[in-house]
Amino acid sequence: MHNQVDRLHTDQTWDNILYQSEKTRTQSINTFLGHQLRISTEGYGKMNPLDIDEYMSRGGFDALRKALKMERQEVMDEVARSGIRGRGGGGFPTGRKWQLVAAGEDRVKYVICNGDEGDPGAFMDRILLESYPFRVIEGLAIAAYAVGASKGILYVRAEYPQAVIRVRRALEMCREGGLIGQNILGSGFSVEMELFEGAGAFVCGEETALIASIEGRRGFPHLRPPYPAQQGLWGHPTLINNVETLSQIPFIVKEGSEAYARVGTESSKGTKVFALAGKVKHGGLIEVPMGTTLRQIVEEIGGGMEEGETLKAVQTGGPSGGCIPAALCDAEVDFDALNQMGAIMGSGGLVVLSESDCMVDVARYFLQFVSGESCGKCTFCRIGARRMLDLLDKICAGEGTMEDIDKLETLAKGVKKAALCGLGKTAPNPVLSTLRYFRNEYEEHVRGNCRTGSCKRMVQLKVTDDCVGCTKCARCCPADAIPWAPYETHVIDAEKCTLCGLCIDECDFNAIVYENKG
């Protein structure tokens, strides 16, 4: 682990002392908190999200005050030297993006906070907006000053009502305190900010689609160039940064680029916020230094696998991400390292998968989401994703052939290469990564075997000789598929059975199992 900043180390040490001193706290909680390092989530558990005085007493808006006394170029240079890369998924150098917007000769410029988080199971932006609204606003104000923008917009999903309420109130409080609006802190710099509620289309997380949404048009991506940095909202240069990216800007400005750059790896600086979920004991929002391994996240922060489960893979990057097998989980969390393994950092979803998960079914689940969220503008994404899903449905039903696996791989590579926007280009990642590391499971499905029983059209429930006839399964079956037969080995009517699995949960003798139909 790289040397960390003294102030961060002090804060982390205080967290350890605090939790270790409380005898009611368990060691698992100490482990979950102790291995994290907080920049975006600084002050975790210690601040009222809407107490602006408390935020300022802990150094809030000090970075904005410092930035307003610097030349705009100095601020951008500091961000560039820090090495921070966009946390929205692509990992584009943040400082370079700021420079592109600032270089525009147009006098009208915009800055946008992209809070349109739509990945299944992801909640990073939501928690940051709900718990640290002032920090995000401060980062956006610094960005506006640096690039010379006079208007800022916080684009937040309407499905995050608490985030919407808190961001709106935080904006009001900042306006009342002279932290946004006209002549901020007497500096002569002015920037107005407003909240825009997105309708929840996944594709609107893509920059050009997000801009179309704000302008009142359908969320369609458009060809680039021109890039938003050159011609964005209403045709003016526009800077778009993710919530997490903006939340790290105050630290960079206040503590300096060198302090930030000491955290992380050579090519990926700082920390990363993840939504840890899946077959792990302790899930939740975590923030770790870049360079932390996936195995450390699972075993040390997550507390290891759930009882009876064995690590099989870690899925990173949401529905457009990839599945990294357990054998490669000693790899560092790094933009480039994950890309080389066929995955992406993404916005920060991290799902832990076990041996009880079918990787073909996992790929189908994520592709089903992406296919449904496709805007339909380009043929490769609209039809290509749908055709890939058809092939996966066929394979998961036990009706696929070896040729279908080859077709699936060829189609996935074609869509990845030719789709219009980032959504389409990354949509095949779950398919390609599972084919790369778990191709044997695809071939097993073709031979009529789903090893985990996850693909319901390939399996049926069977009662084994361990059954004692207790009738608990018959009583809980919602489809009446198990006849009432006390003290006799039960039988399941496959025609009526819906494979809901309630009988398995109820059986105290592990006498009901999935078996392949073939």
Side-chain angles (χ1 to χ4, degrees):
M1 190 74 66
H2 297 268
N3 292 329
Q4 311 298 354
V5 190
D6 290 342
R7 187 183 61 75
L8 283 172
H9 178 72
T10 301
D11 192 51
Q12 187 181 19
T13 302
W14 171 245
D15 278 344
N16 287 334
I17 294 172
L18 175 66
Y19 287 104
Q20 287 172 2
S21 65
E22 294 180 17
K23 296 189 182 296
T24 56
R25 300 286 182 174
T26 64
Q27 184 60 41
S28 62
I29 295 178
N30 288 323
T31 302
F32 180 83
L33 297 173
H35 289 85
Q36 298 187 46
L37 184 65
R38 302 191 181 281
I39 293 180
S40 290
T41 58
E42 184 182 7
Y44 173 84
K46 302 186 182 78
M47 290 193 300
N48 181 335
L50 290 179
D51 190 331
I52 192 169
D53 293 328
E54 185 177 24
Y55 178 69
M56 295 176 71
S57 72
R58 298 181 63 87
F61 293 106
D62 285 356
L64 177 59
R65 289 187 176 88
K66 180 179 178 180
L68 293 174
K69 295 176 182 177
M70 300 166 64
E71 296 294 329
R72 297 179 192 274
Q73 188 60 48
E74 287 183 291
V75 178
M76 288 188 287
D77 289 343
E78 197 72 8
V79 172
R81 283 194 297 268
S82 73
I84 183 173
R85 297 170 65 171
R87 298 302 197 255
F92 189 82
T94 302
R96 192 185 308 171
K97 181 182 281 192
W98 286 26
Q99 295 280 8
L100 291 171
V101 177
E105 297 180 358
D106 196 327
R107 295 183 61 185
V108 178
K109 296 175 183 174
Y110 295 95
V111 289
I112 299 175
C113 170
N114 184 351
D116 187 62
E117 179 179 60
D119 299 9
F123 46 85
M124 300 77 60
D125 292 352
R126 177 177 186 171
I127 298 301
L128 290 176
L129 289 168
E130 289 180 356
S131 303
Y132 310 94
F134 294 119
R135 189 176 187 88
V136 178
I137 292 170
E138 182 178 8
L140 189 62
I142 293 171
Y145 171 73
V147 303
S150 57
K151 180 68 177 291
I153 297 173
L154 289 102
Y155 188 102
V156 183
R157 295 175 71 86
E159 288 112 320
Y160 290 173
Q162 190 65 27
V164 169
I165 292 170
R166 289 185 175 174
V167 170
R168 182 175 285 121
R169 179 56 185 147
L171 286 172
E172 293 173 357
M173 296 170 73
C174 289
R175 194 171 290 111
E176 293 167 0
L179 296 164
I180 59 173
Q182 298 298 311
N183 190 26
I184 295 175
L185 298 173
S187 65
F189 171 66
S190 302
V191 61
E192 293 293 339
M193 290 190 189
E194 68 177 44
L195 173 72
F196 186 95
E197 296 184 48
F202 181 66
V203 72
C204 285
E206 197 276 339
E207 293 184 348
T208 59
L210 181 149
I211 288 171
S213 174
I214 294 176
E215 291 177 346
R217 298 181 286 114
R218 184 174 177 180
F220 270 162
H222 68 66
L223 286 170
R224 297 181 291 181
Y227 292 91
Q230 303 163 316
Q231 186 177 328
L233 186 62
W234 309 115
H236 301 291
T238 303
L239 172 68
I240 304 178
N241 280 143
N242 167 266
V243 171
E244 185 184 343
T245 307
L246 292 171
S247 70
Q248 303 220 335
I249 296 300
F251 176 86
I252 294 171
V253 174
K254 183 180 176 182
E255 304 294 338
S257 57
E258 291 184 2
Y260 185 85
R262 284 199 295 269
V263 181
T265 67
E266 185 63 31
S267 63
S268 300
K269 303 297 185 182
T271 59
K272 182 72 188 79
V273 178
F274 286 105
L276 179 60
K279 304 290 181 63
V280 66
K281 289 180 180 177
H282 309 303
L285 190 79
I286 65 172
E287 183 174 5
V288 297
M290 292 284 197
T292 304
T293 68
L294 293 172
R295 196 175 302 280
Q296 284 177 307
I297 292 175
V298 173
E299 296 182 357
E300 296 177 7
I301 297 176
M305 301 296 292
E306 291 179 346
E307 294 299 329
E309 300 285 2
T310 303
L311 178 64
K312 184 175 188 178
V314 174
Q315 202 272 350
T316 67
S320 301
C323 297
I324 300 171
L328 297 180
C329 282
D330 289 316
E332 294 182 336
V333 171
D334 175 286
F335 284 102
D336 301 325
L338 292 180
N339 287 341
Q340 291 172 6
M341 290 187 287
I344 60 174
M345 183 80 71
S347 57
L350 198 156
V351 182
V352 180
L353 303 170
S354 75
E355 290 293 345
S356 61
D357 291 302
C358 170
M359 302 310 294
V360 184
D361 191 53
V362 167
R364 179 176 63 161
Y365 169 79
F366 285 113
L367 189 62
Q368 190 173 37
F369 174 85
V370 173
S371 178
E373 290 290 337
S374 171
C375 73
K377 183 175 183 178
C378 75
T379 305
F380 294 98
C381 182
R382 181 183 70 250
I383 297 178
R386 180 67 248 183
R387 180 59 181 141
M388 282 193 291
L389 183 59
D390 289 342
L391 287 170
L392 280 172
D393 284 339
K394 183 179 178 183
I395 293 171
C396 287
E399 300 169 357
T401 64
M402 294 299 179
E403 290 74 19
D404 287 330
I405 298 176
D406 294 334
K407 287 180 185 177
L408 180 64
E409 187 171 25
T410 301
L411 185 57
K413 291 178 179 178
V415 173
K416 186 177 181 68
K417 183 177 181 180
L420 173 62
C421 76
L423 171 65
K425 289 182 180 298
T426 57
N429 282 345
V431 174
L432 290 172
S433 63
T434 51
L435 279 170
R436 178 177 177 180
Y437 298 116
F438 302 97
R439 194 182 192 95
N440 60 319
E441 290 196 29
Y442 283 83
E443 295 172 351
E444 287 174 3
H445 280 64
V446 169
R447 293 192 288 267
N449 177 35
C450 175
R451 64 172 68 178
T452 67
S454 301
C455 298
K456 301 304 182 186
R457 293 176 62 185
M458 295 182 64
V459 299
Q460 61 188 7
L461 286 172
K462 176 186 177 182
V463 180
T464 70
D465 293 337
D466 293 326
C467 176
V468 298
C470 70
T471 71
K472 286 186 71 175
C473 58
R475 283 177 281 167
C476 77
C477 181
D480 293 328
I482 306 176
W484 180 268
Y487 307 114
E488 296 180 13
T489 300
H490 296 308
V491 177
I492 299 176
D493 186 339
E495 295 297 323
K496 292 182 179 180
C497 179
T498 61
L499 299 172
C500 67
L502 285 175
C503 55
I504 295 179
D505 296 335
E506 285 294 316
C507 183
D508 295 327
F509 301 94
N510 298 319
I512 304 178
V513 297
Y514 286 109
E515 69 171 9
N516 288 286
K517 292 180 179 179

